[in-house]
Amino acid sequence: MATLEEFHEDFLQSILTDADSRGLLQAQSFFEVVCEDLVSVGDMTSNYSPAEYIKKGMEVYGYDYDDDRKILTVLNHQFFQDESIQTFTRMQMEAKFNRLKTFLTRSVDGLYKDMEETSEAYSMAYNIYKYFQKRQLLRVRLMLLTDGKATRNLLELPSDILEGAALDFRVIDINYLHNIYESEAKSTISDIVVDLPCLKINDEENSYQSYLTVINGDHLVDIYEEHGQKLFEQNVRTFLQFKGNVNKGLKITIEHKPEMFFAYNNGITATASEIELGEDGHLKKIKNFQIVNGGQTTSAIYAAKRTSLIDVSKVSVQMKLSVVKDASKQDDFISKVAEYANTQNKINNSDFFSNSPFHKDMKEYSSRVYAPAIGGAQRRTKWFYERVRGEYLNSQAYLKTAEKNSFALENPKSQVVDKTLLSKTEIMWLRRPDVVSKGAQESFKKFAEDITELLEKDNLAITETYFKDAICRVILFRTTEKLVSAAAWYDGGYRAQTVAYSISYLSELVVTSGLQLNFDLIWEQQEIPFELIEMLKLITQQVYQKITHPATGYANISQWAKNSMCWEAVRNIDIDFPELDERLFIYREEKNYKIKESKDVKILEKAIDNQVFVLNVTNANWKMIFEHYRNYKGIRSLSNMQLGILEKMSIKQITLPSEKQAKILYQIYDTAREEGLNLN
């Protein structure tokens, strides 16, 4: 793992590159990147909105409202943008907090009445006013984001009270951001202190240890109130409110038969990376606590107490806790537990998207497909697909200086694409700007659904052609952001919505014409052609005018942009384009032929890869797998034909497997590994 200093250097370069490629101010890029990180770990919700407002004595850059926990977060930042890590001093901190608090109190008093209605700041001030007026807040957090380092005793600041709501002060500094990067499991962030009697189920020889315990309803509410969605970060299901029959039943039991909750409910399945036991044998601390089944149970109990004011002190919830100490096996273990345990409501395959072959295919193309050299450059480069945060930096962790320089030249920072950005640009092109406007998490969820459905219909859909086209859509997105930021008509605010709707409008234009955008041209140039830029200039201006003048009844522009009615209004804009360059478009039949060619190549590559993989597996492993399935230990049993091929491979009767044999052996190996066989 990278040191704090290495992480800071990489983080700063990421911000500078992101700002340059998107036409943003560096402070804007910093704010967006950190907010998305906080959403990813559950510190904020996907409802967060950037909204800059700086006046005398006031400074704020955005806000977030957690409707489930009734928590309002108001955001400010201190971006040092220095090559070395700066200290965030008490004086700087107090000044920032005071400006935030002044804005908050002024908003409670009706500041929105003196603001321009079409601005993002107006929506922010109005919503804050509304939350307080309607008594919709249990807690308010003033949060400072910084790339500096705050001394530890300044991170925990005393709480206050504002209009009956608890007022907390919180600093997110470079140490905290490093913790997020350091482990996808975020073990330092979701540790919980408990005092629970427990029963140990298995011995130390197992790859994991399991414990049974019981947790009280009030205690569960306190844990959720403190940690929120962080607890469900690895969960496959979000809370469905009290709409389904299962959740209605939960509420009825909590309210009328709380003492029967233990008997009626399946309880919670959770994981941890480590636990601490007291001398009395009780669980005292659970590190990296994650609820992988029972998210609805937890949220239902919380909602019952906080929203419906129901007493949950008599509710007892059984909990099965599995401790997985090997971090490399934790994601796979969690995925399997979730897949087999989640039966309460229907689970879609897209809920397990993190294990989708989509990522493997994208990573494989990312590692071997070179982009054309442009601008007189002699060296060709790659687009780096980052499935897991920090993967780009980790790839350089053990390289020598010369190797690092070579890696950076071949994989420039400006050509790193993470799964969140990719999902956003793909959903834009699929003409769902209303979903994109709801935030990165909603875009990713929709993207997962669409890709899963696509792969279920056609498991060869993710080809080299798809990879190149997807990268071109990222280039399109970044170029459009730059155009909007630099436009004379753009007066600030709603840039993200304008970009999303503009790209969707272009996609709609292409689809209704019966043609396809010539992504090959964009790929070869590694930039958007001049003629397409001129089209986008016309589109973005018209789109901005349309979305900033919402339909009657939609005073809040941010909320209007999240509505499908907004998309209906935008897609009906009539723009008179000048004569277009024919090179920008190709016939659909031509594109389909190229896709078919790409699939044929993938079939051949897959067959060769299977053969190479099978030949590289040791004979000892093939013997182990054969014994495993011959004795019917597997969850899945093999057919006589499969078992016969496996036996021949284990006794070296097959020296060079055919394509069909290699495919069968590869599938058997993969299944055995998933079932827990210790293969190496």
Side-chain angles (χ1 to χ4, degrees):
M1 286 294 180
T3 64
L4 178 64
E5 288 71 24
E6 289 171 333
F7 168 74
H8 174 263
E9 181 183 354
D10 181 77
F11 178 78
L12 182 59
Q13 287 304 311
S14 296
I15 299 301
L16 301 181
T17 301
D18 182 67
D20 181 61
S21 66
R22 298 170 58 199
L24 303 179
L25 295 175
Q26 290 162 359
Q28 289 176 318
S29 175
F30 166 77
F31 180 79
E32 286 190 17
V33 168
V34 175
C35 284
E36 289 298 338
D37 282 346
L38 295 180
V39 170
S40 74
V41 298
D43 273 319
M44 296 199 316
T45 75
S46 57
N47 294 322
Y48 95 88
S49 299
E52 183 178 314
Y53 187 75
I54 302 173
K55 297 287 183 183
K56 186 177 180 180
M58 292 183 281
E59 182 181 10
V60 61
Y61 290 93
Y63 71 111
D64 174 58
Y65 179 61
D66 185 336
D67 185 52
D68 209 15
R69 295 190 293 160
K70 310 299 181 208
I71 295 176
L72 168 69
T73 303
V74 189
L75 301 151
N76 197 351
H77 67 69
Q78 172 63 57
F79 182 45
F80 289 104
Q81 192 194 324
D82 198 282
E83 291 183 2
S84 59
I85 299 174
Q86 298 297 301
T87 299
F88 193 25
T89 66
R90 174 179 287 277
M91 187 176 297
Q92 291 169 323
M93 203 179 295
E94 288 177 348
K96 292 283 184 180
F97 274 131
N98 285 338
R99 291 173 193 148
L100 261 185
K101 191 172 181 180
T102 300
F103 172 80
L104 180 65
T105 54
R106 290 282 306 277
S107 294
V108 173
D109 292 336
L111 176 64
Y112 75 93
K113 297 171 186 176
D114 301 323
M115 300 168 76
E116 172 57 49
E117 289 189 24
T118 58
S119 70
E120 290 175 314
Y122 173 89
S123 296
M124 173 171 57
Y126 173 75
N127 282 329
I128 291 173
Y129 174 81
K130 182 184 68 177
Y131 298 145
F132 276 94
Q133 287 293 306
K134 295 185 176 181
R135 303 291 179 187
Q136 293 177 313
L137 294 171
L138 293 174
R139 185 174 299 277
V140 179
R141 298 186 303 182
L142 300 185
M143 187 179 286
L144 298 181
L145 317 178
T146 181
D147 60 333
K149 181 161 55 173
T151 55
R152 195 158 189 82
N153 64 331
L154 294 181
L155 290 175
E156 299 296 331
L157 299 167
S159 297
D160 202 346
I161 298 291
L162 179 65
E163 299 287 324
L167 182 62
D168 294 338
F169 302 85
R170 188 166 179 199
V171 179
I172 302 295
D173 70 345
I174 195 68
N175 274 319
Y176 194 90
L177 298 174
H178 184 227
N179 284 339
I180 294 176
Y181 150 79
E182 235 182 2
S183 168
E184 195 175 20
K186 288 113 190 153
S187 58
T188 59
I189 300 175
S190 56
D191 296 353
I192 64 169
V193 177
V194 295
D195 185 10
L196 302 173
C198 67
L199 174 65
K200 189 173 183 180
I201 305 303
N202 52 7
D203 55 42
E204 296 292 335
E205 293 180 3
N206 291 68
S207 59
Y208 70 95
Q209 280 74 54
S210 283
Y211 301 81
L212 287 178
T213 186
V214 179
I215 189 167
N216 173 267
D218 278 332
H219 193 181
L220 195 57
V221 167
D222 291 341
I223 292 171
Y224 179 62
E225 190 151 64
E226 181 178 354
H227 296 279
Q229 289 297 312
K230 280 189 250 183
L231 301 178
F232 313 128
E233 178 195 342
Q234 301 280 8
N235 200 356
V236 296
R237 185 197 297 117
T238 54
F239 184 48
L240 304 177
Q241 307 294 331
F242 289 122
K243 295 176 182 176
N245 290 330
V246 173
N247 294 308
K248 288 178 181 175
L250 283 173
K251 186 180 180 183
I252 291 169
T253 303
I254 293 168
E255 187 170 10
H256 300 292
K257 295 271 187 182
E259 69 282 355
M260 298 301 295
F261 193 89
F262 183 91
Y264 292 167
N265 186 263
N266 290 330
I268 291 170
T269 301
T271 63
S273 59
E274 192 178 340
I275 60 157
E276 291 180 12
L277 295 173
E279 292 182 3
D280 56 1
H282 285 198
L283 285 169
K284 297 298 183 181
K285 190 171 187 179
I286 305 176
K287 296 185 177 181
N288 187 24
F289 180 66
Q290 297 283 287
I291 295 174
V292 294
N293 185 36
Q296 291 179 76
T297 297
T298 305
S299 296
I301 293 171
Y302 181 85
K305 179 170 182 177
R306 293 302 186 209
T307 305
S308 303
L309 303 180
I310 298 171
D311 179 15
V312 299
S313 61
K314 294 181 181 179
V315 171
S316 295
V317 184
Q318 60 179 314
M319 180 167 74
K320 180 170 68 176
L321 179 68
S322 297
V323 180
V324 188
K325 293 188 177 181
D326 187 344
S328 66
K329 296 180 179 178
Q330 192 166 45
D331 285 347
D332 187 57
F333 180 86
I334 287 171
S335 178
K336 290 301 174 189
V337 170
E339 186 173 354
Y340 297 135
N342 273 295
T343 56
Q344 202 171 32
N345 284 314
K346 182 180 181 295
I347 299 297
N348 298 314
N349 289 335
S350 61
D351 295 320
F352 303 101
F353 184 61
S354 60
N355 296 313
S356 171
F358 170 83
H359 300 296
K360 179 178 177 292
D361 287 341
M362 290 295 288
K363 192 66 190 172
E364 196 259 323
Y365 292 125
S366 167
S367 64
R368 70 172 177 81
V369 174
Y370 282 92
I374 56 172
Q378 299 301 308
R379 184 165 190 145
R380 300 179 72 189
T381 59
K382 296 175 182 175
W383 285 81
F384 189 99
Y385 178 65
E386 191 176 58
R387 175 189 171 186
V388 179
R389 175 170 168 75
E391 193 174 5
Y392 179 79
L393 182 55
N394 286 339
S395 297
Q396 307 168 63
Y398 302 106
L399 299 180
K400 296 177 181 177
T401 302
E403 293 171 328
K404 278 187 179 181
N405 293 337
S406 178
F407 178 89
L409 286 172
E410 190 171 87
N411 303 273
K413 193 76 174 174
S414 59
Q415 291 177 198
V416 176
V417 177
D418 65 33
K419 61 184 180 182
T420 305
L421 171 61
L422 187 74
S423 65
K424 187 162 63 173
T425 55
E426 290 297 275
I427 295 303
M428 287 178 192
W429 192 251
L430 290 171
R431 301 176 301 287
R432 288 305 306 272
D434 51 320
V435 173
V436 176
S437 297
K438 292 176 182 177
Q441 299 303 309
E442 287 299 315
S443 296
F444 188 74
K445 180 181 175 183
K446 175 63 177 167
F447 179 61
E449 292 171 356
D450 288 351
I451 288 294
T452 302
E453 185 179 340
L454 178 63
L455 288 173
E456 285 176 346
K457 292 177 182 176
D458 180 6
N459 63 0
L460 295 171
I462 310 305
T463 62
E464 185 175 321
T465 295
Y466 175 90
F467 171 78
K468 290 179 177 179
D469 288 357
I471 295 302
C472 290
R473 290 187 278 269
V474 171
I475 296 172
L476 176 64
F477 165 73
R478 289 174 171 170
T479 303
T480 308
E481 275 202 316
K482 268 191 168 182
L483 285 177
V484 172
S485 299
W489 49 262
Y490 180 64
D491 56 4
Y494 308 108
R495 177 182 49 245
Q497 294 90 334
T498 302
V499 171
Y501 274 88
S502 296
I503 291 175
S504 292
Y505 182 91
L506 175 64
S507 177
E508 179 78 4
L509 198 68
V510 172
V511 168
T512 54
S513 70
L515 298 171
Q516 294 280 343
L517 192 62
N518 188 357
F519 286 116
D520 290 347
L521 181 62
I522 299 174
W523 177 258
E524 289 303 318
Q525 297 182 359
Q526 289 291 291
E527 64 181 9
I528 303 302
F530 172 78
E531 294 80 8
L532 185 53
I533 287 178
E534 292 303 302
M535 279 185 69
L536 287 167
K537 285 179 178 179
L538 295 173
I539 292 171
T540 51
Q541 183 172 8
Q542 292 289 327
V543 166
Y544 179 76
Q545 290 300 318
K546 180 63 72 173
I547 66 174
T548 53
H549 292 82
T552 304
Y554 287 89
N556 189 317
I557 296 172
S558 294
Q559 294 304 314
W560 166 239
K562 297 174 184 178
N563 194 302
S564 59
M565 288 173 58
C566 182
W567 171 228
E568 287 301 317
V570 168
R571 74 197 303 179
N572 289 322
I573 297 174
D574 186 15
I575 301 176
D576 185 19
F577 294 103
E579 188 174 344
L580 301 175
D581 189 329
E582 292 182 359
R583 296 184 310 146
L584 293 177
F585 307 98
I586 58 174
Y587 288 106
R588 195 165 291 169
E589 292 77 14
E590 184 181 343
K591 184 68 175 181
N592 290 340
Y593 178 75
K594 181 160 185 173
I595 291 172
K596 181 183 180 301
E597 276 190 325
S598 196
K599 287 181 181 179
D600 291 340
V601 171
K602 184 171 182 177
I603 291 171
L604 180 61
E605 289 174 343
K606 241 178 165 31
I608 295 171
D609 287 345
N610 286 343
Q611 287 175 313
V612 171
F613 180 87
V614 165
L615 288 171
N616 284 330
V617 175
T618 64
N619 185 246
N621 275 336
W622 286 126
K623 285 181 177 178
M624 186 192 305
I625 296 170
F626 175 64
E627 290 300 320
H628 178 73
Y629 284 109
R630 184 175 68 170
N631 297 326
Y632 300 103
K633 292 178 181 176
I635 295 171
R636 165 191 161 194
S637 60
L638 302 184
S639 67
N640 289 333
M641 182 267 289
Q642 290 171 317
L643 200 61
I645 292 173
L646 179 58
E647 182 180 16
K648 288 178 181 178
M649 193 69 188
S650 69
I651 59 176
K652 298 185 178 180
Q653 281 190 9
I654 298 176
T655 54
L656 183 62
S658 66
E659 285 185 19
K660 183 177 179 182
Q661 288 173 329
K663 182 178 180 182
I664 290 170
L665 288 167
Y666 177 84
Q667 290 171 340
I668 292 172
Y669 180 95
D670 198 45
T671 303
R673 183 185 55 80
E674 286 183 353
E675 290 182 359
L677 245 64
N678 191 17
L679 303 171
N680 44 36

